[in-house]
């Protein structure tokens, strides 16, 4: 089947009604989160559903870097306060962003005519369920807590739930959620015994995680004072207690989250539980702008304590608790199952049938999606290339120099100051948000000096630094796979590579009929890999030579930046592909029920048979390290870049 060049017909609304409706609730939660990882300005660690290739997993393992104490309490609020920003500013910024062709995404494998549709008009239009290594799809369908034969100190007694009055509970809940101006809540101890005080202490801490308590004498009476845990004390190790020997050391649970990043959710949990984030483990990070369901494991925290969090958490729920003897590891998952709604589609029934049949039978090109490359005028792969070239002045310049497009005001001022003075202290003064990449690098330059950029850059968390070189790997791979499809089409040819077990071998002339395009892999550039024995092998070398890199020596003098190679399939054929076209009138209503809807007994809205709009509901499963947006791109024949989407939707943005 012939390949088709890309044409741009995408529709996407970057900010929708449900975002605005939840704005106040989200702001309240941001105030209570004091341990948040990440950065901004297009340099953020990708938070996509897809997982890194196995070669990259060795670099990240289960590392969760605890956050440094904020230099200013408002850091998180400043960092995210205008996340969506003014629509016109957002559109202006995206004029200088990347398109798919900028990162090598140029081909399609299907022959149907493209049509338009709105992707992620609501975050609830994109649902991801994790598939474990045993093939089981994670679902949130049970809030019950497993019962142990042995009693644990942290398991509250029945008295815990009745010792506090309704008025006490209301005041404590408001304190916990920071809904009032009180800094503490005092509860009078009517029956002043040590046992009674212990029960009250335990009740507050169990029912209102995140609050600490102390006993005080006031006017001859005893009071239990509840207050918010803060700073390093909030991240202290769990209180020592006996843990039943018959119980597995890890509590596994299903995390259901809405419009929230995986690490953000874990940081909130660690804050409320007063533990460090690195006692949590998981198999993969999931999209922020979506509803996602995944398994999490935590060391020696009881299911009962976790279940109490459901009373106060916003945007996520915990359930399906069990105790096991092992944590989870990155990359252990078998993949992810997606349920996606594309709204306001324009395709005919015949076009949709052709597109979905092609997706099921042929698949899509296994490109790295746009999330991998950042959104600003300085793509992450350019910084990665400078790192691999050992050009540290260029790395510093790319991160700190002024760039076209609208940015948050403090970043613009910081960059202008840097361009004018090259003084890290002066530039840092313009930057209230210190944990962004720019702030981290400037702090490093202050600490180590302008002549030691390598050490200054090393202050940036390791996962963030590695993101840049992996972005360059992805950039090379995307360009090479486009050349491979253009040169040889959708068939295996002599000189291609295929995997036999974990080893890549060349397909020989006499053996080519035994293979299809779905067997063909291509290398991510790095050491210990082989390249195709045809034109594409030479194209790899030419591309790296043009970038002043030696394809035969990808070892860096700094071990962290040595690129280990891997192999990646050219074409991915999704599994469990199903679809349905539905009509609707109101763009605000959901078009399917989520796990939480089912638990809460919410019925699916009755849809009209002949509505004003049509939507394509599609389901499919993908293996790790693949991008659902690239599958959707193949269905719609659309450019998935934010730059293209905003340019096509300027009327909505206004």
């Amino acid at each position: 089947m012939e390949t088709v060049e890309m044409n741009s017909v995408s529709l996407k609304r970057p900010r929708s009604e449900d975002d605005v409706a939840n704005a106040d609730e989200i702001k309240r939660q941001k105030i209570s989160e004091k341990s948040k990882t990440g950065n901004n300005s297009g340099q953020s660690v990708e938070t996509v559903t897809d997982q890194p290739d196995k070669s990259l997993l060795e670099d990240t393992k289960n590392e969760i870097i605890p956050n440094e104490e904020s230099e200013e309490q408002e850091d998180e609020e400043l960092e995210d306060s205008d996340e969506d920003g003014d629509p016109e500013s957002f559109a202006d910024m995206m004029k200088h962003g990347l398109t798919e062709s900028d990162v090598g995404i140029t081909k399609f494998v299907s022959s149907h005519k493209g049509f338009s549709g709105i992707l992620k008009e609501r975050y609830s239009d994109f649902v991801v369920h994790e598939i474990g290594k045993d093939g089981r799809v994670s679902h949130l369908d049970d809030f019950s807590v497993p019962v142990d034969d042995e009693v644990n100190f942290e398991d509250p007694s029945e008295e815990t739930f009745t010792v506090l009055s309704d008025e006490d509970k209301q005041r404590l809940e408001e304190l916990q959620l920071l809904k009032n101006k009180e800094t503490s809540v005092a509860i009078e101890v009517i029956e002043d015994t040590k046992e009674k005080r212990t029960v009250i202490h335990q009740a507050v801490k169990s029912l209102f995680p995140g609050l600490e308590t102390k006993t005080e004498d006031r006017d001859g009476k005893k009071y239990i004072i509840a207050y918010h845990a803060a700073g390093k004390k909030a991240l202290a190790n769990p209180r020592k207690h006996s843990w039943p020997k018959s119980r597995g050391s890890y509590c596994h649970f299903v995390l259901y989250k809405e419009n929230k990043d995986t690490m953000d959710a874990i940081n909130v949990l660690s804050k409320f539980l007063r533990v460090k984030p690195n006692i949590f483990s998981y198999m993969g990070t999931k999209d922020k702008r979506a509803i996602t369901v995944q398994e999490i494991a935590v060391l020696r925290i009881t299911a009962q304590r976790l279940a109490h969090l459901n009373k106060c958490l916003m945007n996520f729920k915990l359930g399906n608790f069990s105790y096991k003897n092992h944590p989870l590891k990155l990359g252990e998952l078998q993949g992810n199952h997606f349920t996606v709604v594309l709204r306001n589609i324009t395709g005919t029934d015949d076009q949709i049938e052709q597109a979905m049949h092609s997706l099921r039978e042929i698949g899509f090109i296994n490109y790295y999606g746009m999330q991998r490359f950042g959104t600003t005028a300085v793509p992450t792969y350019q910084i990665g290339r400078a790192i691999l070239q050992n050009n540290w002045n260029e790395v510093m310049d790319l991160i700190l120099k002024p760039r076209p497009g609208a940015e948050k005001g403090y970043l613009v001022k910081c960059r202008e100051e840097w361009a004018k003075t090259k003084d890290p202290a002066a530039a840092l003064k313009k930057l209230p948000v210190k944990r962004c990449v720019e702030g981290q690098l400037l702090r490093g330059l202050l600490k180590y000096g302008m002549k030691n950029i390598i050490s200054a850059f090393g202050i940036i968390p390791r996962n963030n630094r590695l993101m840049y070189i992996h972005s360059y790997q992805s950039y090379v791979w995307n360009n090479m796979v486009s050349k491979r499809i253009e040169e040889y089409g959708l068939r295996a040819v002599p000189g291609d590579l295929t995997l036999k077990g974990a080893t890549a071998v060349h397909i020989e002339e006499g053996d080519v009929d035994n293979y299809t395009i779905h067997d063909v892999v291509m290398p991510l550039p790095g050491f210990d890999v082989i390249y195709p024995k045809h034109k594409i092998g030479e194209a790899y070398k030419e591309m790296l030579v043009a970038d002043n890199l030696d394809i035969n020596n990808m070892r860096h003098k700094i071990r962290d930046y040595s690129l280990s190679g891997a192999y990646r399939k050219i074409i991915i054929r999704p599994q469990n592909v199903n679809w349905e076209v539905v009509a609707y009138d109101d763009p605000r209503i959901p078009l399917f029920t989520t796990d939480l809807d089912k638990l809460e007994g919410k019925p699916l809205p009755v849809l009209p048979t002949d509505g004003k709009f049509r939507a394509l509901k599609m389901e499919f499963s993908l293996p790790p390290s693949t991008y659902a947006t690239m599958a959707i791109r193949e269905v719609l024949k659309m450019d998935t870049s934010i730059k293209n989407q905003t340019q096509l939707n300027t009327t909505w943005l206004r």
Side-chain angles (χ1 to χ4, degrees):
M1 186 173 294
E2 65 177 344
T3 63
V4 187
E5 293 296 333
M6 180 175 65
N7 59 349
S8 301
V9 284
S10 72
L11 293 172
K12 177 182 175 183
R13 195 192 304 259
R15 186 183 178 102
S16 59
E17 294 88 343
D18 52 337
D19 295 314
V20 177
N22 288 331
D24 291 338
E25 188 174 54
I26 291 168
K27 284 178 183 175
R28 283 197 302 272
Q29 179 155 330
K30 283 174 181 169
I31 295 172
S32 68
E33 296 171 31
K34 301 298 181 188
S35 53
K36 181 178 179 182
T37 55
N39 49 69
N40 56 15
S41 70
Q43 313 293 353
S44 60
V45 176
E46 63 176 301
T47 54
V48 298
T49 301
D50 319 285
Q51 293 309 302
D53 295 273
K54 287 189 176 180
S55 67
L56 310 186
L57 291 174
E58 295 173 3
D59 294 324
T60 55
K61 301 279 186 185
N62 261 354
E63 180 180 17
I64 304 175
I65 303 172
N67 300 308
E68 299 176 8
E69 287 298 310
S70 175
E71 293 189 24
E72 296 187 21
Q73 283 192 339
E74 297 84 6
D75 232 24
E76 292 89 357
E77 294 173 79
L78 284 166
E79 195 167 346
D80 283 338
S81 59
D82 56 347
E83 179 180 278
D84 292 308
D86 175 76
E88 292 188 57
S89 296
F90 181 80
D92 183 46
M93 180 175 75
M94 288 303 105
K95 290 176 184 176
H96 303 278
L98 296 171
T99 63
E100 287 185 344
S101 60
D102 292 329
V103 295
I105 302 173
T106 58
K107 301 294 180 182
F108 293 104
V109 296
S110 53
S111 58
H112 71 275
K113 183 179 178 182
F115 53 94
S116 65
I118 307 173
L119 171 61
K120 290 190 181 183
E121 181 177 35
R122 297 166 59 89
Y123 68 77
S124 54
D125 287 344
F126 197 89
V127 179
V128 187
H129 288 86
E130 190 171 70
I131 306 173
K133 59 182 178 181
D134 58 357
R136 182 179 56 85
V137 179
S138 292
H139 283 280
L140 181 76
D141 51 22
D142 185 4
F143 283 140
S144 66
V145 174
V147 178
D148 281 328
D149 293 331
E150 301 179 55
V151 178
N152 183 268
F153 173 79
E154 289 210 347
D155 292 337
S157 64
E158 285 302 312
E159 190 179 1
T160 298
F161 299 94
T162 58
V163 70
L164 298 173
S165 68
D166 290 340
E167 181 184 354
D168 288 337
K169 289 178 182 177
Q170 183 176 349
R171 292 168 63 211
L172 288 165
E173 182 177 0
E174 290 175 351
L175 175 67
Q176 182 187 45
L177 298 178
L178 299 172
K179 289 183 177 178
N180 55 23
K181 294 181 180 179
E182 291 186 63
T183 57
S184 64
V185 168
I187 301 167
E188 185 180 354
V189 183
I190 305 299
E191 303 170 27
D192 184 16
T193 64
K194 183 177 180 181
E195 291 75 16
K196 191 70 173 180
R197 293 197 304 271
T198 298
V199 172
I200 296 175
H201 282 294
Q202 189 181 38
V204 173
K205 292 176 181 180
S206 297
L207 300 179
F208 301 94
L211 298 183
E212 284 287 2
T213 57
K214 60 184 177 182
T215 304
E216 282 188 5
D217 284 307
R218 294 183 180 180
D219 300 325
K221 297 179 180 179
K222 278 216 168 35
Y223 290 85
I224 304 296
I225 309 299
Y227 59 96
H228 253 287
K232 293 181 179 177
K233 290 181 180 177
L235 297 175
N237 288 323
R239 293 185 305 277
K240 294 195 179 212
H241 55 82
S242 59
W243 188 267
K245 293 180 181 178
S246 62
R247 176 192 287 172
S249 292
Y250 294 88
C251 184
H252 287 231
F253 61 93
V254 168
L255 169 66
Y256 170 102
K257 63 181 182 65
E258 299 183 354
N259 205 26
K260 197 157 194 67
D261 173 72
T262 300
M263 270 310 304
D264 285 345
I266 285 176
N267 284 328
V268 172
L269 294 177
S270 66
K271 174 68 177 180
F272 276 115
L273 294 167
R274 305 177 296 282
V275 298
K276 292 183 178 180
N278 58 6
I279 71 169
F280 291 86
S281 57
Y282 50 91
M283 294 183 287
T285 57
K286 299 288 178 272
D287 281 309
K288 176 181 178 180
R289 187 166 170 75
I291 292 175
T292 69
V293 183
Q294 68 184 115
E295 188 174 348
I296 305 287
V298 60
L299 176 64
R300 294 201 170 193
I301 298 291
T302 65
Q304 192 159 12
R305 194 173 169 198
L306 291 166
H308 285 317
L309 293 175
N310 285 327
K311 301 177 186 297
C312 58
L313 292 175
M314 293 177 286
N315 302 104
F316 47 100
K317 294 289 182 184
L318 316 178
N320 296 80
F321 303 101
S322 63
Y323 293 108
K324 299 181 182 179
N325 290 317
H326 59 85
L328 296 170
K329 294 181 181 178
L330 275 173
E332 281 186 327
L333 73 170
Q334 196 176 104
N336 295 286
H337 185 74
F338 298 86
T339 305
V340 178
V341 170
L342 302 176
R343 292 181 183 255
N344 200 20
I345 56 171
T346 62
T348 64
D349 289 343
D350 187 52
Q351 286 173 329
I352 293 166
E353 286 294 307
Q354 286 184 43
M356 295 307 298
H357 275 289
S358 176
L359 183 67
R360 184 165 62 187
E361 301 303 321
I362 299 175
F364 62 96
I365 303 172
N366 193 20
Y367 287 121
Y368 284 98
M370 297 302 294
Q371 303 100 309
R372 196 82 165 182
F373 306 103
T375 56
T376 71
V378 179
T380 51
Y381 74 81
Q382 290 184 5
I383 299 170
R385 178 168 55 201
I387 293 170
L388 294 170
Q389 292 169 342
N390 215 29
N391 187 347
W392 293 100
N393 283 310
E394 176 76 359
V395 172
M396 179 177 65
D397 190 46
L398 286 170
I399 293 174
L400 296 178
K401 71 179 181 180
R403 56 186 63 175
E407 279 195 303
K408 295 173 184 178
Y410 54 78
L411 271 172
V412 173
K413 292 174 183 175
C414 171
R415 297 187 193 285
E416 288 174 348
E417 184 66 33
W418 174 257
K420 183 172 62 177
T421 65
K422 290 294 190 290
D423 180 350
L428 200 57
K429 285 181 180 177
K430 304 287 185 181
L431 197 60
V433 176
K434 302 294 192 287
R435 285 199 305 276
C436 59
V437 164
E438 294 84 356
Q440 290 164 332
L441 179 56
L442 288 168
R443 284 208 305 262
L445 292 170
L446 266 177
K447 182 175 182 179
Y448 294 105
M450 296 287 288
K451 293 184 178 180
N452 196 351
I453 301 172
I454 295 175
S455 295
F457 183 72
I459 279 187
I460 298 170
R462 183 171 181 266
N463 287 357
N464 298 45
R465 288 181 277 122
L466 296 182
M467 169 198 68
Y468 294 123
I469 61 173
H470 296 160
S471 177
Y472 177 74
Q473 264 189 324
S474 306
Y475 171 73
V476 173
W477 199 90
N478 279 0
N479 279 277
M480 291 300 100
V481 78
S482 291
K483 284 183 178 292
R484 164 61 181 76
I485 296 294
E486 181 178 6
E487 188 70 32
Y488 299 112
L490 297 181
R491 58 191 177 91
V493 298
D496 271 338
L497 292 168
T498 189
L499 289 178
K500 290 191 176 177
T503 306
V505 297
H506 289 101
I507 298 175
E508 302 297 335
E509 179 79 46
D511 210 23
V512 71
D513 291 339
N514 296 326
Y515 297 95
T516 70
I517 192 65
H518 298 102
D519 300 312
V520 177
V521 299
M522 283 178 45
L524 286 159
F527 56 83
D528 296 334
V529 298
I530 60 174
Y531 293 87
K533 287 183 178 177
H534 49 51
K535 292 180 181 179
I536 307 307
E538 293 303 313
Y540 269 99
K541 295 175 185 176
E542 291 169 7
M543 185 171 185
L544 267 70
V545 166
D547 286 341
N548 294 315
L549 295 171
D550 182 356
I551 199 169
N552 297 313
N553 183 16
M554 300 301 289
R555 295 186 186 274
H556 199 280
K557 68 177 184 178
I558 301 171
R559 185 178 176 184
D560 266 1
Y561 309 135
S562 291
L563 275 184
S564 57
Y567 299 95
R568 181 176 175 88
K569 283 197 169 187
I570 289 180
I571 302 292
I572 291 293
R573 187 160 44 189
Q575 301 299 306
N576 308 311
V577 178
N578 292 289
W579 67 92
E580 176 189 8
V581 176
V582 297
Y584 66 100
D585 288 319
D586 187 349
R588 294 170 298 180
I589 63 169
L591 298 181
F592 56 83
T593 52
T594 65
D595 287 0
L596 189 58
D597 291 335
K598 293 172 185 175
L599 271 171
E600 294 178 347
K602 290 182 181 178
L604 185 68
V606 178
L607 299 175
T609 54
D610 188 23
K612 290 187 291 185
F613 310 108
R614 294 159 69 238
L616 172 59
K617 291 168 58 178
M618 52 197 296
E619 289 190 58
F620 52 88
S621 299
L622 296 177
S625 188
T626 53
Y627 287 69
T629 50
M630 294 295 100
I632 296 165
R633 168 188 181 269
E634 187 69 45
V635 170
L636 294 180
K637 295 290 184 70
M638 64 180 259
D639 180 334
T640 61
S641 67
I642 299 176
K643 176 178 180 176
N644 184 65
Q645 292 164 352
T646 53
Q647 287 175 344
L648 290 172
N649 292 283
T650 51
T651 54
W652 285 354
L653 288 167
R654 295 187 185 126

Short mmCIF file of all heavy atoms in Angstrom, two decimals, residues 452-468:
data_model
loop_
_atom_site.label_atom_id
_atom_site.label_comp_id
_atom_site.label_asym_id
_atom_site.label_seq_id
_atom_site.Cartn_x
_atom_site.Cartn_y
_atom_site.Cartn_z
N ASN A 452 32.54 26.20 34.85
CA ASN A 452 32.23 24.80 35.16
C ASN A 452 30.76 24.54 34.88
O ASN A 452 29.98 24.22 35.78
CB ASN A 452 32.58 24.50 36.62
CG ASN A 452 32.64 23.01 36.90
OD1 ASN A 452 32.26 22.19 36.04
ND2 ASN A 452 33.11 22.64 38.07
N ILE A 453 30.40 24.69 33.61
CA ILE A 453 28.99 24.53 33.20
C ILE A 453 28.53 23.10 33.41
O ILE A 453 27.36 22.85 33.75
CB ILE A 453 28.81 24.96 31.73
CG1 ILE A 453 29.23 26.42 31.57
CG2 ILE A 453 27.36 24.77 31.30
CD1 ILE A 453 29.27 26.87 30.11
N ILE A 454 29.43 22.13 33.24
CA ILE A 454 29.04 20.72 33.39
C ILE A 454 28.50 20.47 34.79
O ILE A 454 27.43 19.86 34.96
CB ILE A 454 30.24 19.80 33.10
CG1 ILE A 454 30.67 19.92 31.63
CG2 ILE A 454 29.88 18.35 33.42
CD1 ILE A 454 31.91 19.13 31.27
N SER A 455 29.22 20.93 35.80
CA SER A 455 28.75 20.74 37.18
C SER A 455 27.48 21.55 37.45
O SER A 455 26.57 21.09 38.16
CB SER A 455 29.84 21.15 38.18
OG SER A 455 30.96 20.31 38.06
N ALA A 456 27.42 22.76 36.88
CA ALA A 456 26.22 23.59 37.05
C ALA A 456 25.00 22.90 36.45
O ALA A 456 23.92 22.87 37.06
CB ALA A 456 26.44 24.95 36.40
N PHE A 457 25.16 22.33 35.26
CA PHE A 457 24.07 21.62 34.60
C PHE A 457 23.66 20.39 35.41
O PHE A 457 22.49 20.00 35.42
CB PHE A 457 24.51 21.22 33.19
CG PHE A 457 23.45 20.53 32.37
CD1 PHE A 457 22.37 21.23 31.88
CD2 PHE A 457 23.55 19.17 32.08
CE1 PHE A 457 21.40 20.60 31.11
CE2 PHE A 457 22.60 18.53 31.32
CZ PHE A 457 21.51 19.24 30.83
N GLY A 458 24.62 19.79 36.12
CA GLY A 458 24.35 18.60 36.91
C GLY A 458 23.41 18.82 38.07
O GLY A 458 22.89 17.86 38.64
N ILE A 459 23.16 20.08 38.45
CA ILE A 459 22.19 20.38 39.52
C ILE A 459 20.77 20.02 39.08
O ILE A 459 19.92 19.68 39.89
CB ILE A 459 22.30 21.86 39.93
CG1 ILE A 459 23.47 22.05 40.89
CG2 ILE A 459 21.02 22.38 40.56
CD1 ILE A 459 23.59 23.42 41.50
N ILE A 460 20.52 20.11 37.79
CA ILE A 460 19.21 19.75 37.26
C ILE A 460 18.97 18.27 37.54
O ILE A 460 19.87 17.45 37.34
CB ILE A 460 19.13 20.04 35.74
CG1 ILE A 460 19.32 21.54 35.48
CG2 ILE A 460 17.81 19.57 35.16
CD1 ILE A 460 19.52 21.88 34.02
N PRO A 461 17.78 17.85 38.00
CA PRO A 461 17.53 16.44 38.29
C PRO A 461 17.89 15.55 37.10
O PRO A 461 17.68 15.90 35.94
CB PRO A 461 16.03 16.40 38.58
CG PRO A 461 15.73 17.75 39.13
CD PRO A 461 16.63 18.69 38.38
N ARG A 462 18.42 14.39 37.41
CA ARG A 462 18.98 13.49 36.39
C ARG A 462 17.96 13.13 35.30
O ARG A 462 18.29 13.12 34.12
CB ARG A 462 19.48 12.21 37.08
CG ARG A 462 20.16 11.22 36.14
CD ARG A 462 20.80 10.11 36.95
NE ARG A 462 21.49 9.15 36.10
CZ ARG A 462 20.93 8.04 35.64
NH1 ARG A 462 19.67 7.77 35.94
NH2 ARG A 462 21.62 7.21 34.88
N ASN A 463 16.74 12.83 35.71
CA ASN A 463 15.73 12.46 34.71
C ASN A 463 15.50 13.58 33.70
O ASN A 463 15.29 13.35 32.51
CB ASN A 463 14.41 12.10 35.39
CG ASN A 463 14.47 10.75 36.09
OD1 ASN A 463 15.48 10.06 36.01
ND2 ASN A 463 13.41 10.40 36.78
N ASN A 464 15.52 14.82 34.19
CA ASN A 464 15.34 15.97 33.30
C ASN A 464 16.51 16.11 32.33
O ASN A 464 16.33 16.41 31.15
CB ASN A 464 15.22 17.26 34.11
CG ASN A 464 14.00 17.25 35.03
OD1 ASN A 464 13.73 16.27 35.69
ND2 ASN A 464 13.30 18.36 35.08
N ARG A 465 17.73 15.89 32.84
CA ARG A 465 18.91 15.99 31.98
C ARG A 465 18.90 14.92 30.90
O ARG A 465 19.21 15.19 29.74
CB ARG A 465 20.19 15.87 32.82
CG ARG A 465 20.47 17.09 33.69
CD ARG A 465 21.75 16.92 34.47
NE ARG A 465 21.58 16.15 35.68
CZ ARG A 465 22.24 15.04 35.98
NH1 ARG A 465 23.13 14.54 35.13
NH2 ARG A 465 22.04 14.42 37.12
N LEU A 466 18.52 13.70 31.28
CA LEU A 466 18.52 12.60 30.31
C LEU A 466 17.42 12.79 29.27
O LEU A 466 17.54 12.29 28.15
CB LEU A 466 18.35 11.27 31.03
CG LEU A 466 19.48 10.88 31.99
CD1 LEU A 466 19.22 9.51 32.60
CD2 LEU A 466 20.82 10.88 31.28
N MET A 467 16.37 13.50 29.65
CA MET A 467 15.29 13.77 28.69
C MET A 467 15.83 14.41 27.41
O MET A 467 15.39 14.09 26.31
CB MET A 467 14.27 14.70 29.33
CG MET A 467 13.24 15.28 28.38
SD MET A 467 12.42 16.71 29.07
CE MET A 467 13.74 17.90 29.10
N TYR A 468 16.82 15.29 27.55
CA TYR A 468 17.33 16.01 26.38
C TYR A 468 18.02 15.07 25.39
O TYR A 468 17.77 15.14 24.18
CB TYR A 468 18.32 17.09 26.83
CG TYR A 468 17.70 18.21 27.62
CD1 TYR A 468 18.15 18.52 28.90
CD2 TYR A 468 16.65 18.97 27.10
CE1 TYR A 468 17.59 19.55 29.63
CE2 TYR A 468 16.09 20.00 27.83
CZ TYR A 468 16.56 20.29 29.10
OH TYR A 468 15.98 21.31 29.81
#
